[in-house]
Amino acid sequence: MTTVKERLKTLRELMKEKNIDAYLVPTDDFHGSEYVGDYFKCRKYITGFTGSAGTAVIMKDMAGLWTDGRYFIQAADQLKGSSIELFKMGEPGVPTIHEFLKNNLKNDMCLGFDGRTVSESEAEELKNLLKGKNIHFSVEKDLIGEIWEDRPELSCEPVMELEVKWAGETRASKIARIRQQMKEEGADIFILTSLDDIAWLLNIRGNDIHCCPVVLSYLIMTEKEIKLFANEKAFQEKVRRNLEADSVRIYPYNEVYAYAQKINKEQNVLISEKCVNSRLVSCIPENVTILDRPNPTLLAKAVKNPVEMENERIAHIKDGVAVTKFIHWMKTKVGEERITELSAAEKLYQFRSEQANFLGDSFDPIIAYGIHAAIVHYSATEETDIPLEAKGMVLADTGGHYLEGTTDITRTVVLGPVSEKEKKYFTAVLRGNLNLAAAKFKYGCTGLNLDYLARGPLWELGEDYNHGTGHGVGYLLNVHEGPNSFRWKNLPGSPAPVFEEGMITSDEPGYYLENEFGIRHENLLLCKKAERTSFGQFMCFEELTMVPFDLDGIDPAQMTERERGLLNVYHEKVYRNISPYLSEEEKKWLKRATRKI
């Protein structure tokens, strides 16, 4: 097996041969997915960094990796000895990728990337940024693919249909809604390449990305038909027939580029340039009118319908039973039997598997003990796996896919004696979680308005966490779903949307002290309408997650009377919903674990 240094050497030789001075390697697949299948892990291959977010730039005499605050510690560790420099995104004095390229590319140099892995909006930004230097672009070649000898095949997992009792709306109804939006925009053709949007629209699910039940595909919709470019071997005859009944026909995956070249110049094409890859857009004839708009499926998917909302409540009770059993097992068995980070994850999977309609993890479990919890998205391996001991804390950030929906939960569990310092921050983070969940606000607010509720207790201490407070969650789809979120500052090109009834968003403040400990508390919140008054419509949140917070880590004296009341009410709800499914011993333990403070 070759080393990262050897791969970089081979890539640079190929770049020299093709007269490419800098080569950009993003995380993305051809669909802009956050998580990607093994075939698409080019950035991991060339850098050795395994995190879910990051971009590499390779030049003749340097190589750099840009990633965000979730991965600073992990990236620094994985890049050791590779000669690749870590650029900590958002930190003072650290240039963005665009700034770096502008400062380091000289006149008449060539920037290369695989145009299928870079969105049209990103490609245009780069062209505008560098036009003053007469930079050439080479975007037709996948250089990593040319040197990756044992590259995995494209995934082709079986496709299943999601019945209406789970989806809450027929495929035909969803298609009609999107066609109406096309009509309102004056679009003749809608090109959709986001995998979770395609799965939502067609009520299909697959397994082409690890932990993401999506199907590798492109979709092109007109007034009369839908062309689905995918591997037809993934579709059973019954599924294919049902799709055809709704005028959805399957074509070979890669033929989408040839189809785009034949679009009639008289037609208006609706695309989201943030989502569609630049290679595909470049295939559209120049005289075709492109309507750059957010995908009309984006908001429709984020707003869960009444059936999905009720199903999600059921999913979270099932998940709550599994995670509560897991916490009980961990707290009572640690010190008595050998438990490691990896074996704990296996045990939790076993508990989830006992629940009806459980399909699998919604992301790779994060079971991080002690100092490992300070790594925000730590992932245990055979090399890093350590035993849990009857002291300190373990952070467990995990989730599951059920036919009733997707879950995502974090609990920081006390396994034995903890310091006053650990209790101080455990409590501060929990206060933030409770305050955000209890928010009542006027319709029209976004996550920017509400994020302070979660960060406030830490900000009062002059502390913070280096990640967003919350993300949207799909229905048996991606565990990270837009556009709804909680964050304190706007992201360029990603305006925060108004919270709508039916949106599900995570509430997950945290605190991380490198080489000491890490804390995160996460529940999923369902946005609902509260009362309407003369001042307008008010909104609130319903906590979907049903698992106790560990009272052993709390200092009640730090909490206000209101915050203690919020925790007590939540714990009463947890006991009421979860206890009927537990053994007598587990029930007795849960009664104490949810006692009033």
Side-chain angles (χ1 to χ4, degrees), residues 289-572:
T289 300
I290 289 180
L291 307 172
D292 178 20
R293 308 282 190 275
N295 284 330
T297 46
L298 181 66
L299 190 59
K301 169 170 55 72
V303 177
K304 276 58 179 177
N305 60 52
V307 171
E308 290 175 315
M309 286 190 266
E310 187 54 36
N311 284 341
E312 283 279 8
R313 293 183 180 101
I314 296 169
H316 280 82
I317 289 175
K318 291 180 175 184
D319 206 61
V321 171
V323 179
T324 299
K325 284 174 172 283
F326 169 69
I327 293 174
H328 167 261
W329 168 80
M330 200 161 44
K331 285 177 75 77
T332 56
K333 298 298 183 182
V334 69
E336 293 183 12
E337 59 184 73
R338 178 175 168 79
I339 303 172
T340 71
E341 293 167 327
L342 287 176
S343 70
E346 291 169 1
K347 188 69 174 181
L348 177 52
Y349 190 90
Q350 177 187 320
F351 282 126
R352 282 194 167 113
S353 298
E354 293 169 0
Q355 300 299 314
N357 297 332
F358 174 69
L359 301 177
D361 289 332
S362 56
F363 57 97
D364 283 329
I366 298 169
I367 307 291
Y369 176 63
I371 63 172
H372 283 169
I375 304 171
V376 180
H377 275 199
Y378 169 78
S379 182
T381 65
E382 294 291 345
E383 292 74 30
T384 65
D385 188 30
I386 57 175
L388 276 54
E389 300 177 38
K391 63 179 181 179
M393 303 179 295
V394 61
L395 186 154
D397 185 351
T398 68
H401 287 305
Y402 302 79
L403 286 173
E404 292 89 353
T406 296
T407 69
D408 181 5
I409 170 178
T410 308
R411 288 296 181 268
T412 304
V413 181
V414 176
L415 299 179
V418 291
S419 67
E420 290 304 309
K421 182 179 182 180
E422 287 169 314
K423 280 194 170 187
K424 172 184 175 181
Y425 290 110
F426 188 106
T427 307
V429 173
L430 179 59
R431 290 174 58 211
N433 175 284
L434 294 169
N435 289 332
L436 178 56
K440 190 173 183 181
F441 53 96
K442 275 190 69 174
Y443 177 77
C445 283
T446 73
L448 294 170
N449 301 114
L450 303 176
D451 184 88
Y452 173 72
L453 293 170
R455 292 184 195 266
L458 284 171
W459 281 4
E460 289 165 8
L461 298 171
E463 304 282 5
D464 199 7
Y465 47 93
N466 206 353
H467 58 73
T469 296
H471 55 83
V473 178
Y475 182 95
L476 185 48
L477 273 174
N478 294 355
V479 74
H480 292 164
E481 174 182 279
N484 43 306
S485 66
F486 296 115
R487 58 178 188 259
W488 70 272
K489 59 182 176 180
N490 229 333
L491 300 177
S494 298
V498 169
F499 274 106
E500 302 283 354
E501 184 172 49
M503 286 181 169
I504 295 175
T505 315
S506 69
D507 169 9
E508 49 181 314
Y511 182 74
Y512 314 92
L513 203 54
E514 189 171 351
N515 294 321
E516 290 195 40
F517 59 84
I519 296 160
R520 189 159 62 252
H521 303 309
E522 177 187 16
N523 281 354
L524 295 193
L525 307 179
L526 172 64
C527 186
K528 296 169 60 178
K529 288 181 179 178
E531 72 270 27
R532 175 182 283 276
T533 73
S534 59
F535 291 100
Q537 180 67 55
F538 284 82
M539 311 294 287
C540 62
F541 294 117
E542 172 189 339
E543 291 159 313
L544 291 173
T545 308
M546 289 287 116
V547 175
F549 293 105
D550 197 336
L551 296 179
D552 293 338
I554 296 172
D555 177 5
Q558 292 183 36
M559 303 175 72
T560 66
E561 184 178 350
R562 177 177 180 269
E563 290 165 346
R564 290 193 294 270
L566 291 173
L567 180 60
N568 290 337
V569 168
Y570 175 70
H571 275 165
E572 286 176 11

Side-chain angles (χ1 to χ4, degrees), residues 226-282:
I226 292 177
K227 294 179 183 289
L228 183 65
F229 296 86
N231 190 331
E232 63 178 9
K233 293 178 182 177
F235 296 79
Q236 293 181 344
E237 182 60 32
K238 181 182 178 183
V239 176
R240 193 157 49 239
R241 283 199 310 268
N242 290 344
L243 287 167
E244 288 176 355
D246 287 317
S247 300
V248 180
R249 289 177 173 77
I250 300 169
Y251 296 83
Y253 178 65
N254 286 315
E255 282 190 11
V256 68
Y257 297 93
Y259 174 85
Q261 292 173 333
K262 299 173 184 175
I263 292 176
N264 191 305
K265 66 180 180 180
E266 306 297 328
Q267 295 181 304
N268 297 332
V269 178
L270 173 62
I271 63 171
S272 172
E273 293 188 353
K274 281 178 54 182
C275 301
V276 178
N277 75 59
S278 58
R279 175 87 63 86
L280 183 53
V281 176
S282 71

Side-chain angles (χ1 to χ4, degrees), residues 140-321:
E140 299 297 320
K141 301 292 184 183
D142 173 12
L143 297 194
I144 305 297
E146 292 188 32
I147 68 171
W148 192 351
E149 294 180 357
D150 55 349
R151 187 175 192 171
E153 295 294 318
L154 277 171
S155 179
C156 180
E157 292 291 315
V159 175
M160 77 167 191
E161 285 191 278
L162 195 65
E163 296 178 61
V164 176
K165 67 179 179 178
W166 309 122
E169 184 180 7
T170 65
R171 177 166 50 233
S173 172
K174 292 179 178 180
I175 290 171
R177 281 207 282 150
I178 301 306
R179 281 196 170 124
Q180 178 58 35
Q181 291 188 55
M182 287 174 59
K183 186 177 180 180
E184 292 169 4
E185 294 285 356
D188 304 297
I189 296 174
F190 171 37
I191 298 180
L192 181 63
T193 64
S194 303
L195 300 182
D196 55 334
D197 286 44
I198 293 171
W200 172 84
L201 178 62
L202 299 183
N203 282 350
I204 58 174
R205 299 294 189 271
N207 193 30
D208 283 336
I209 297 178
H210 178 59
C211 294
C212 300
V214 295
V215 181
L216 274 180
S217 54
Y218 304 89
L219 183 144
I220 296 183
M221 177 188 289
T222 66
E223 185 183 357
K224 299 294 185 184
E225 68 170 345
I226 292 177
K227 294 179 183 289
L228 183 65
F229 296 86
N231 190 331
E232 63 178 9
K233 293 178 182 177
F235 296 79
Q236 293 181 344
E237 182 60 32
K238 181 182 178 183
V239 176
R240 193 157 49 239
R241 283 199 310 268
N242 290 344
L243 287 167
E244 288 176 355
D246 287 317
S247 300
V248 180
R249 289 177 173 77
I250 300 169
Y251 296 83
Y253 178 65
N254 286 315
E255 282 190 11
V256 68
Y257 297 93
Y259 174 85
Q261 292 173 333
K262 299 173 184 175
I263 292 176
N264 191 305
K265 66 180 180 180
E266 306 297 328
Q267 295 181 304
N268 297 332
V269 178
L270 173 62
I271 63 171
S272 172
E273 293 188 353
K274 281 178 54 182
C275 301
V276 178
N277 75 59
S278 58
R279 175 87 63 86
L280 183 53
V281 176
S282 71
C283 291
I284 300 173
E286 285 188 11
N287 47 9
V288 169
T289 300
I290 289 180
L291 307 172
D292 178 20
R293 308 282 190 275
N295 284 330
T297 46
L298 181 66
L299 190 59
K301 169 170 55 72
V303 177
K304 276 58 179 177
N305 60 52
V307 171
E308 290 175 315
M309 286 190 266
E310 187 54 36
N311 284 341
E312 283 279 8
R313 293 183 180 101
I314 296 169
H316 280 82
I317 289 175
K318 291 180 175 184
D319 206 61
V321 171

Side-chain angles (χ1 to χ4, degrees), residues 324 331 548-551 571 587-596:
T324 299
K331 285 177 75 77
F549 293 105
D550 197 336
L551 296 179
H571 275 165
K587 193 179 296 186
K588 184 178 179 181
W589 172 85
L590 182 62
K591 189 70 174 176
R592 175 165 172 73
T594 57
R595 67 191 181 276
K596 285 189 175 184

